[in-house]
Amino acid sequence: MRVTIHRGINQIGGCITEIATNKTRIIIDLGQNLPKGNIPSDDNMANRENIEDLIIGVNAIFYTHYHGDHVELFKYVPKGIAQYIGEVAKRVMLCKYEALIHIPENAPVKAEDIQLLESFKTFREKQEIPVNNDIKVTPYFVSHSACDAYMFLIEADGKRILHTGDFRDHGYLGKGLMQVLEKIILPKGAINVLITEGTMLSRSTEKVLHENDIKLNAIELMRQYKYVFVLCSSTDVDRLVSFYQAAQETGRSFLYDNYQKNVLNIFTETKGTIHELFRFDNGHYYKHGHKKQLDILKGKGFCMLVRPKHYNQIKELLTQLPEKQILFIYSMWSGYLNEGENQKEEYVKIEGLFNDRVKRLHTSGHATPETLAAVCSLVNPTTAIIPIHSEDSEKFRELPIIEDLRNKIVAYNGTIHL
Ligand SMILES: [Zn+2]
Ligand SMILES: [Zn+2]
């Protein structure tokens, strides 16, 4: 069995991992390099030729979750190669692509991308997927800033590889992580190679809150401010729960646009049937310029999900609200707003509408160094730990893990033979 990290060491995103036996090859994630600030992604793999070269002889591709840095290069995969993603993740991706196809200047999405996406095979948690009667892949749920994210157990040639994907243990369902590892995955037998994310190793100054604390903080803020505008990811289900629940708790109207409503409907119809927490039943479309709705909202107060495209309507709406009761909550990674190479102009612009009436309230979608250390120690792989999705993979050696494990860290792109 061979494990090849094509991309992912010393960079966040753009992950491509290959696992192969003598007769079968699979790829885990085909991610595009993340764009830097306003500059589009620079990615030498983002073309049909290079992807076709990479996947000659590949039997199947598995995606951990729907973030572009894990899935975006799917569009260069020739038809006929099996591509797998979670059932709910596929619906969210389709919803996003169907919205993006109408705004070609932002992200060029073509009709054939959507057709290809529609052909994706899906899986459910703990479903064993045989590939070529040779490799077995089993997805296990992980908490992340995306809905329907998974780690994969890959078994072949009597060996086991665990690929964590992006994960954390401080999301609403995060505490299940160690239990799944301990009670379900590890009893199957020793893990030979652990491929794990390490995003937060280079973001150690960020304060990590439990997602429930985001909700509690949001409740406090909504009690102080009647008109709350929130900039957060439209597909980060946990964060949407936090603000939705805070709005419910404080009697504020929860407002969204068409696209956000479509995504929330998917969450309600799927995860919401299993966990009450993921239901978004009491929200409303914001109808800009609708006087009657505005009068109701003025009385009740609101929590409105905003996107940069709403700039003009928010600007106008702000003139109709008492300034002292307005608040803008920025609930995404600070790197997009702070000065520097990752800064996104459109976020700065929208924040600028609110002068000093701005609060930042966010927590990472990624595991803390303590959690990474706990996972490494519990999994205790026999052969290697490969840290991907980290700006500085070598930093993994600074984690509080035993010497024996530290010696197993492999922090370079390349192939390991098992
Ligand atoms: Zn990622
Ligand atoms: Zn992610």
Side-chain angles (χ1 to χ4, degrees):
M1 197 182 198
R2 306 183 299 280
V3 181
T4 305
I5 306 298
H6 288 286
R7 202 159 68 176
I9 304 288
N10 293 329
Q11 69 171 66
I12 292 175
C15 309
I16 306 175
T17 301
E18 178 183 327
I19 292 162
T21 64
N22 286 337
K23 65 172 207 179
T24 310
R25 288 171 65 206
I26 63 166
I27 298 272
I28 309 287
D29 285 346
L30 213 43
Q32 187 159 32
N33 286 341
L34 285 166
K36 286 240 181 295
N38 304 311
I39 305 158
S41 166
D42 177 15
D43 191 333
N44 65 338
M45 292 299 288
N47 58 70
R48 202 164 287 277
E49 209 184 352
N50 286 349
I51 291 296
E52 280 179 0
D53 272 357
L54 175 77
I55 62 171
I56 289 174
V58 163
N59 302 79
I61 302 168
F62 291 84
Y63 297 105
T64 54
H65 62 292
Y66 51 60
H67 283 156
D69 58 320
H70 298 258
V71 73
E72 197 68 28
L73 299 182
F74 83 88
K75 51 178 109 154
Y76 305 109
V77 174
K79 279 183 207 154
I81 293 193
Q83 304 198 67
Y84 288 88
I85 197 163
E87 249 177 14
V88 183
K90 177 178 172 177
R91 285 188 63 181
V92 174
M93 275 189 81
L94 275 168
C95 180
K96 182 177 157 192
Y97 273 71
E98 275 155 8
L100 283 175
I101 202 164
H102 302 296
I103 34 172
E105 65 278 16
N106 282 3
V109 170
K110 299 190 206 82
E112 54 258 43
D113 299 338
I114 294 180
Q115 274 170 17
L116 193 56
L117 196 47
E118 276 166 347
S119 75
F120 270 32
K121 292 172 187 283
T122 58
F123 54 72
R124 289 186 170 188
E125 191 190 9
K126 300 187 188 121
Q127 180 186 339
E128 294 180 350
I129 305 156
V131 183
N132 210 14
N133 277 327
D134 183 36
I135 296 183
K136 189 166 78 183
V137 180
T138 316
Y140 295 93
F141 169 84
V142 285
S143 170
H144 180 45
S145 48
C147 187
D148 211 31
Y150 294 91
M151 59 183 160
F152 292 123
L153 176 67
I154 302 112
E155 298 168 274
D157 291 350
K159 304 273 174 19
R160 281 177 198 81
I161 294 160
L162 185 67
H163 187 302
T164 67
D166 289 356
F167 75 102
R168 62 176 179 177
D169 67 353
H170 52 277
Y172 284 114
L173 303 180
K175 68 174 188 299
L177 173 71
M178 296 313 235
Q179 288 167 11
V180 168
L181 288 172
E182 204 168 8
K183 300 211 165 79
I184 299 175
I185 298 177
L186 293 174
K188 288 174 184 274
I191 300 292
N192 301 88
V193 176
L194 172 66
I195 304 166
T196 171
E197 72 130 305
T199 320
M200 289 213 71
L201 293 172
S202 55
R203 295 180 179 175
S204 54
T205 52
E206 283 177 29
K207 194 175 172 207
V208 175
L209 298 171
H210 192 282
E211 197 62 48
N212 197 54
D213 292 323
I214 298 285
K215 181 182 97 179
L216 297 177
N217 278 303
I219 290 173
E220 268 320 295
L221 291 169
M222 285 184 211
R223 285 199 176 118
Q224 289 170 52
Y225 299 91
K226 206 167 170 185
Y227 311 114
V228 175
F229 297 80
V230 175
L231 182 61
C232 71
S233 158
S234 303
T235 58
D236 179 350
V237 68
D238 277 16
R239 190 58 44 83
L240 294 162
V241 164
S242 298
F243 286 109
Y244 174 78
Q245 298 272 337
Q248 296 293 107
E249 186 80 18
T250 54
R252 307 298 187 210
S253 285
F254 187 70
L255 302 172
Y256 39 63
D257 67 14
N258 241 324
Y259 168 64
Q260 290 155 340
K261 171 65 176 163
N262 289 341
V263 176
L264 292 171
N265 275 351
I266 295 172
F267 295 151
T268 303
E269 288 165 13
T270 56
K271 302 282 170 184
T273 60
I274 304 163
H275 302 278
E276 191 70 16
L277 188 68
F278 299 113
R279 296 199 67 86
F280 300 89
D281 296 309
N282 295 317
H284 306 277
Y285 289 108
Y286 170 62
K287 301 173 207 149
H288 188 63
H290 193 290
K291 191 173 175 313
K292 207 167 152 196
Q293 187 194 42
L294 184 60
D295 287 342
I296 297 167
L297 293 176
K298 273 184 171 171
K300 202 176 171 195
F302 61 77
C303 167
M304 183 191 292
L305 301 178
V306 300
R307 295 196 284 146
K309 66 176 266 196
H310 303 138
Y311 179 87
N312 286 332
Q313 70 178 42
I314 294 167
K315 191 174 177 186
E316 207 178 290
L317 174 60
L318 289 175
T319 62
Q320 299 170 64
L321 300 169
E323 203 190 334
K324 278 199 172 129
Q325 295 184 51
I326 294 170
L327 182 70
F328 173 73
I329 300 179
Y330 177 76
S331 191
M332 296 176 94
W333 180 49
S334 57
Y336 296 138
L337 204 54
N338 293 343
E339 261 180 57
E341 60 176 10
N342 293 306
Q343 191 183 55
K344 286 189 189 284
E345 203 180 288
E346 54 184 13
Y347 294 172
V348 175
K349 199 174 153 205
I350 203 159
E351 187 211 30
L353 283 173
F354 294 87
N355 304 315
D356 57 349
R357 318 200 70 77
V358 175
K359 279 260 190 278
R360 291 188 185 192
L361 182 56
H362 181 58
T363 196
S364 178
H366 301 281
T368 60
E370 295 72 33
T371 303
L372 293 173
V375 168
C376 289
S377 303
L378 179 61
V379 173
N380 193 22
T382 59
T383 309
I385 295 173
I386 311 179
I388 58 168
H389 208 280
S390 170
E391 270 171 7
D392 187 355
S393 294
E394 280 293 335
K395 265 200 154 175
F396 227 80
R397 297 186 201 281
E398 293 168 20
L399 288 178
I401 51 177
I402 57 168
E403 191 65 26
D404 176 51
L405 282 175
R406 196 167 294 135
N407 292 336
K408 290 175 181 163
I409 293 171
V410 177
Y412 50 84
N413 290 316
T415 300
I416 295 177
H417 293 263
L418 293 173

